[in-house]
Structures are given as structure tokens and as C-alpha cells.
Amino acid sequence: MSELSELYQETILEHNKNPRNFREIEDADRSADGNNPLCGDALRVYVDLEGDVVKDVAFKGSGCAISKASASMMTQTVKGKTKEEAEKLFEEFHSMVTGGLDVETEENDLGRLKIFAGVIEFPARVKCASLSWHTLNAALHGEEVVSTE
Amino acid sequence: MKAVMSGWDVEKIRQDFPVLSQTVNGKPLVYLDNAASSQVPQSVIDRTSKYLAEEHSNIHRGVHYLSQHATTAYEAAREKVKRFINAPDVDCCIFVRGTTEGINLVAHAYGKGFINEGDEILVSEMEHHSNIIPWQVVAEERGAKLRVIPMNRKGELIVEEYDKLLSERTKIVAMAHVSNALGTVNPVKEMIASAHKLGVPVCLDAAQSVPHFPVDVQDIDADFFVFSGHKMFGPTGSGIVYGKREWLDKMPPYQTGGSQIRTVSFEKTTYAPLPAKYEAGTPAIAAGIGLGAAIDYINSIDFEAAARHEHELLEYATERLSDIPGVTIVGTAAEKASVLSLTIEGIHPHDIGTILDQDGIAVRAGHHCAQPVMKFFEVPATARASFAFYNTREEVDKLADSVQKVIEIFA
């Protein structure tokens, strides 16, 4: 049960209920679709760039609480960051949920995104947490579709 | 209350299935994912082990003792399959690795033999992907058209619409005997009779029917009847295509190679008679013998009482879960078997599945390889509990309590 409350923390449940930046960006500079064909999660991430800076970022789609909360907090975090900073966060986040980065002992810039570290105890849910990040990364690299199967 | 219902001693039956006695996440396992794969009784494990330990050899090849022994055991399993579904002829029971391979066999071989440009193939709206895609591929290859038998909001096929779709252009009908996503039991006997009036054969995906009630393929008059061993208490890698001889004899082979030939030269090959014609290569021998042992197991229990027990579980679960505010049951057909798909308002099925798992409860969360069904009911996915005769009323109570907990966590 403690692992469960670690996964479904208050913040995650709240973002699931009221996802931030849950909207389309019309004529976005970049967008990409993320799918998890195994479970049917699907979302689209929109990015507006100003030079190298993420001026606006938003998402739409359907998914579980973990994928929705992760997407919501991702948009809050990367807004105003440079492309390079966003990519570094993607690497760190990915590393954290796949066990490559111990957020408590190793240096990182994940801040409050660290609450997703609990997902590592639920291997079937790792892709839920990382789907939006993969999709953002694809959008930043000009790819249009990403799949996390 | 003690769980003896309908003259069914579930506690005694559970002792036959070693996997059921374990704990998961510190809780006794509640296995409600039987529609994905059922558990295996000790007798099947023992039979398969005995084969591997004492009898293994390639079949239909050697003159030596072991090969003949293995061949006899494998063919004995085929004979058990014949009696299990009351097939008229043992040679019309083809071993395959599972329902997916079986439907591919029927679709490709029948398609090559009998489907041409402008023809139509009927599939139903509630099909598993494995009974859609092979037909879609064949339709494309042969220039034929795939047409869909619609269903109503309860998840029942609309038989009047089906009757209208049947025409002289229809070359085959492919549909589920029981829906894996909704639990609907389709009126196959009646639908097959309508198709036969126009000389159209019907291929039934029986993966979800044979584990739950006795089926007589001659009584329903199915032309093709395909199922998996691993959903009926046998091993994975076993499955059956039953087909009427009139079709199997005329269709070309599906896979070709060893075992399925009569003569081979570089100019021409002639094929072996049934069933070898459709069984190229060394089969999953241990799995086939295990399927035979699973049939022995089913024959050793009162299968009709098992079906009644499952039905009572389904009714009880439907009642308990319908009573929980926010829960919607997806699939409310009048005739159902052993599947309870549900959604909870505002909560994604994956989250339901994860929380239930923490209570030791195994359900399937997802689209159940039936995306058109999800689209029809306008849900991304459902959480599905599916029952077998070894499940108990107490397990249904645990499911209901855990679903209640999910709602509290997300409140």
C-alpha cells in the first residue's frame, strides 16, 4: 500500500483531475503524436518556440492518471526553458523512471518531477509516465509520431 | 457462507490449480484474467512433463520406439479434441499454435481458394483484432470488400442487419462465438443457418466459448471452428482449427514444408491428405498433448455445473459492481459468458488495474485487442474481470471492495 500511495500522490491525482496546459495550440511551430499501442494511451504535444526557447507548450489526449499528470507537470516545467534544457530534462526524467538515475543521491534538475520516481516500482506504468516526454522530445526534433511500445 | 453453489465444490476444484494458492503483493491471488489466459491444472502440468521427460521425439517420422510413442500420444490428443467438440472426423481437427494462427490459416487458405474480386467478407463489429486483420489482409489481396455486422448498445449483434448484409457476393462470415471484450454469446446457430441458405460458410472464433460451455460443432453446423488451448486450461502454443472436409479438401495449404507432402520434386509437389496438409513442420508436440490432458480434465469435472457456477459468479459480480456509483458495465447483452468489462467515471482503466493488482487482483486493463469495440462504446479502454469455474463469490467481493477503494483514492 505504501508503494501505491507513492505512485498516486496527492499532486499526481490533482494534476490528473485538473491538467495544466491541457489545450491545443493553433498553428503550433511543432507538434507530435505519442501513442502507447499496448494500452491505447494517445496524446499530442504542441510546442511554440521563440528562437531556442519554449515559449508555449500544451497537450491534448487521453490516458491514465500517471500519463496525464506527467504531461501536465512536464508542460509547466519546460515552459520558458531552452530546447537544450528541455532535452536535458527529458534525459534525466527518462533515466529516473528507468532506474538509471537515483534522484536522491545524484545531481539533477528534476525538482518536483521527482515525485514520478515511484513509478519504477510499477514496471507496467513506466511508459505511462514517459510518454509525454518522448512526445515532447520528438516534437523538438521535428518528428511527428512516437510510439512507446 | 461456504462456496458450494449449484452442486459445485469450488474449493476442491481450486486445489487442482497450483498457481491459485500463491500470494501477490502480500494478498492471496485473485485471478480474474481468464479471458486472456486461464490457469493450468496439475494433471496438465504432469502430462506435459511426462512427455518431455519420457516420451519426447519428433512425430510422424521415425520408425524408432520413441517417435512412434510420441506420435501415438499426439494423435490420441487429436482424438480427444474430436470428441470434445463432436467433430464428425478426426482428420478435420488441425493442430495450430493458437486461435490467431488458426484464423490466419482459414483466412489465407480459404481466401486463396474461394475469394475473388468484388466478393464480400462479413465480420462483426465486436471482433478481436485477430478476427479482423487476417480478413482485411485477404480482402485487400483478393480485391474483396470487408463488411461489418453492426451491434446495438448492449453489445448484441443486430441479426436483422446481418440478414440484410448476406448476399450472393458474400463468400464467408467470420465472427466470435463469445466476445472477449463484452462477454456476449452470439446466436451462432441461427446466424450460421442464415448464411447456409446462401451457401456461405461461417468461421467461428471460439477462443472464448470452449472454456465456458460444451459445444457441438455439428449441432451449430460451423464450417470452421477455431480455438486456443491456453484459454481452456491447457498450455500456450496449442490450438485447433476444425473445418468441414468439403472446404479443407478444396482449399490450398497455408504453410508448406515438411510433414505436409505426399511427393516433392523440383517441378511439382503433391500434398498429404488431412490433417497433415495443414500441418507443415514439427508442431508444438508437448503443447498438443497438454491440450489433450486439458480436455481430459474438463471431462473429469461436471462441466455443466461449472458453467452454472460461472454464470452465478457473473450475475453476482454484475449486481455488486452495478451497485457502486460511478461504475458502468460495458456489454450488457442478454446472453453473456464470464466477462465483466467496466469503466469508472473519471478514472482510467490502467489506474484501476494497478490499484487492483496491489490487492492481489489480476484483471485486464486496456482495449482487449478490440479497438472497434472501444470506439463503439466511446471509451479508450475498459477494466475487464473474466471468470473461470475456479473463481469464488468471495473473490467477487474482493473485486467489488477494491473497485470501491479505487474510487476513494481518486475522490
Side-chain angles (χ1 to χ4, degrees):
Chain A
M1 190 61 204
S2 65
E3 279 169 3
L4 198 59
S5 44
E6 186 72 21
L7 183 66
Y8 292 105
Q9 293 186 37
E10 203 51 49
T11 314
I12 290 177
L13 293 173
E14 199 275 324
H15 274 267
N16 172 52
K17 223 179 244 177
N18 305 300
R20 318 298 197 270
N21 301 306
F22 190 64
R23 57 184 161 84
E24 290 173 28
I25 298 178
E26 267 184 56
D27 304 320
D29 292 333
R30 302 276 175 86
S31 69
D33 289 320
N35 293 294
N36 185 344
L38 217 56
C39 58
D41 282 0
L43 54 83
R44 175 173 282 187
V45 171
Y46 305 85
V47 182
D48 258 350
L49 292 168
E50 196 170 66
D52 233 14
V53 175
V54 176
K55 195 177 81 183
D56 194 11
V57 53
F59 79 105
K60 270 296 235 195
S62 75
C64 61
I66 307 301
S67 72
K68 230 171 176 178
S70 177
S72 168
M73 292 177 70
M74 174 190 81
T75 60
Q76 285 186 311
T77 310
V78 300
K79 208 169 182 172
K81 299 268 195 304
T82 64
K83 262 174 72 176
E84 203 181 322
E85 287 167 334
E87 279 163 19
K88 186 167 174 279
L89 279 168
F90 162 70
E91 297 295 342
E92 287 185 356
F93 188 89
H94 188 252
S95 217
M96 168 180 74
V97 296
T98 52
L101 172 73
D102 183 343
V103 288
E104 296 310 322
T105 59
E106 295 172 65
E107 198 190 314
N108 64 81
D109 296 320
L110 288 169
R112 57 199 204 102
L113 296 176
K114 280 192 266 189
I115 61 168
F116 288 97
V119 82
I120 202 158
E121 300 298 332
F122 299 84
R125 309 303 300 277
V126 168
K127 283 166 183 169
C128 309
S130 59
L131 178 62
S132 58
W133 283 94
H134 280 288
T135 312
L136 171 73
N137 197 45
L140 291 175
H141 284 92
E143 295 161 22
E144 282 168 358
V145 182
V146 64
S147 160
T148 62
E149 191 178 7
Chain B
M1 78 178 229
K2 198 68 198 144
V4 180
M5 306 188 296
S6 327
W8 183 248
D9 189 347
V10 69
E11 292 306 330
K12 184 165 171 287
I13 286 289
R14 288 177 70 81
Q15 288 168 15
D16 296 337
F17 292 82
V19 85
L20 297 177
S21 58
Q22 69 187 290
T23 55
V24 170
N25 294 317
K27 310 273 175 58
L29 168 67
V30 175
Y31 189 76
L32 300 177
D33 196 18
N34 295 287
S37 201
S38 53
Q39 296 300 343
V40 180
Q42 188 64 48
S43 59
V44 172
I45 299 168
D46 290 346
R47 183 65 193 91
T48 312
S49 304
K50 182 174 185 290
Y51 167 76
L52 293 170
E54 300 170 17
E55 303 165 293
H56 172 65
S57 179
N58 212 331
I59 56 168
H60 299 135
R61 281 169 175 77
V63 294
H64 59 78
Y65 170 82
L66 269 187
S67 176
Q68 290 179 21
H69 199 75
T71 303
T72 304
Y74 194 66
E75 291 307 318
R78 194 191 306 275
E79 185 62 38
K80 287 168 189 180
V81 168
K82 172 202 179 266
R83 289 197 297 268
F84 179 61
I85 57 172
N86 193 33
D89 187 343
V90 70
D91 293 340
C92 294
C93 299
I94 318 284
F95 274 115
V96 288
R97 282 174 301 162
T99 308
T100 296
E101 185 181 55
I103 294 172
N104 272 277
L105 184 159
V106 177
H108 288 277
Y110 179 86
K112 215 168 173 185
F114 294 99
I115 297 174
N116 294 300
E117 199 166 341
D119 289 343
E120 292 180 356
I121 299 166
L122 299 192
V123 297
S124 94
E125 196 166 15
M126 66 174 70
E127 295 310 307
H128 187 285
H129 296 163
S130 64
N131 205 23
I132 299 174
I133 307 165
W135 300 108
Q136 214 165 36
V137 170
V138 166
E140 199 168 311
E141 277 172 8
R142 311 295 303 173
K145 197 173 168 195
L146 198 65
R147 303 201 67 186
V148 181
I149 309 159
M151 62 179 166
N152 63 26
R153 298 304 299 175
K154 290 163 86 179
E156 295 164 328
L157 292 181
I158 306 172
V159 177
E160 304 77 58
E161 294 299 320
Y162 164 70
D163 289 338
K164 281 187 223 160
L165 282 167
L166 281 170
S167 76
E168 70 283 356
R169 286 184 303 277
T170 314
K171 283 297 172 305
I172 193 163
V173 177
M175 63 176 177
H177 195 176
V178 173
S179 155
N180 75 307
L182 303 168
T184 310
V185 182
N186 287 319
V188 293
K189 191 173 173 177
E190 175 193 333
M191 291 175 76
I192 290 171
S194 309
H196 285 176
K197 278 184 200 150
L198 292 168
V200 177
V202 176
C203 175
L204 289 185
D205 168 358
Q208 301 293 345
S209 63
V210 288
H212 300 296
F213 50 81
V215 182
D216 178 335
V217 292
Q218 295 189 70
D219 176 55
I220 58 176
D221 206 14
D223 299 271
F224 299 100
F225 188 83
V226 187
F227 58 96
S228 299
H230 75 97
K231 293 189 203 287
M232 50 172 286
F233 320 105
T236 54
S238 62
I240 293 293
V241 169
Y242 157 74
K244 283 186 181 166
R245 185 178 275 281
E246 59 183 287
W247 296 114
L248 292 177
D249 272 343
K250 289 182 207 148
M251 284 155 39
Y254 172 50
Q255 294 179 336
T256 51
S259 310
Q260 57 100 230
I261 50 92
R262 197 192 301 270
T263 59
V264 178
S265 72
F266 286 109
E267 288 71 39
K268 189 173 170 56
T269 294
T270 55
Y271 298 109
L274 299 176
K277 176 182 172 185
Y278 292 101
E279 295 184 348
T282 299
I285 305 168
I289 291 172
L291 171 58
I295 291 172
D296 286 341
Y297 181 79
I298 291 173
N299 291 337
S300 77
I301 62 172
D302 181 345
F303 200 32
E304 307 239 0
R308 283 197 299 277
H309 170 74
E310 280 183 21
H311 196 71
E312 286 178 22
L313 282 181
L314 180 66
E315 285 196 331
Y316 180 56
T318 305
E319 182 192 312
R320 284 284 330 252
L321 287 149
S322 304
D323 279 350
I324 302 173
V327 171
T328 303
I329 310 284
V330 179
T332 50
E335 294 293 328
K336 276 186 71 173
S338 299
V339 167
L340 191 70
S341 253
L342 61 90
T343 58
I344 306 176
E345 206 185 335
I347 308 176
H348 196 280
H350 298 168
D351 298 312
I352 303 172
T354 294
I355 296 170
L356 262 50
D357 182 53
Q358 290 301 297
D359 283 341
I361 302 171
V363 297
R364 171 90 187 266
H367 52 59
H368 317 298
C369 298
Q371 288 183 2
V373 174
M374 301 297 112
K375 192 177 167 203
F376 178 85
F377 286 101
E378 294 165 335
V379 293
T382 72
R384 178 188 70 184
S386 52
F387 305 99
F389 50 62
Y390 44 62
N391 290 122
T392 68
R393 219 174 147 88
E394 289 75 10
E395 289 180 318
V396 172
D397 288 331
K398 284 181 187 169
L399 171 70
D401 292 347
S402 200
V403 164
Q404 190 69 56
K405 188 165 109 186
V406 173
I407 294 172
E408 281 157 22
I409 289 176
F410 276 81

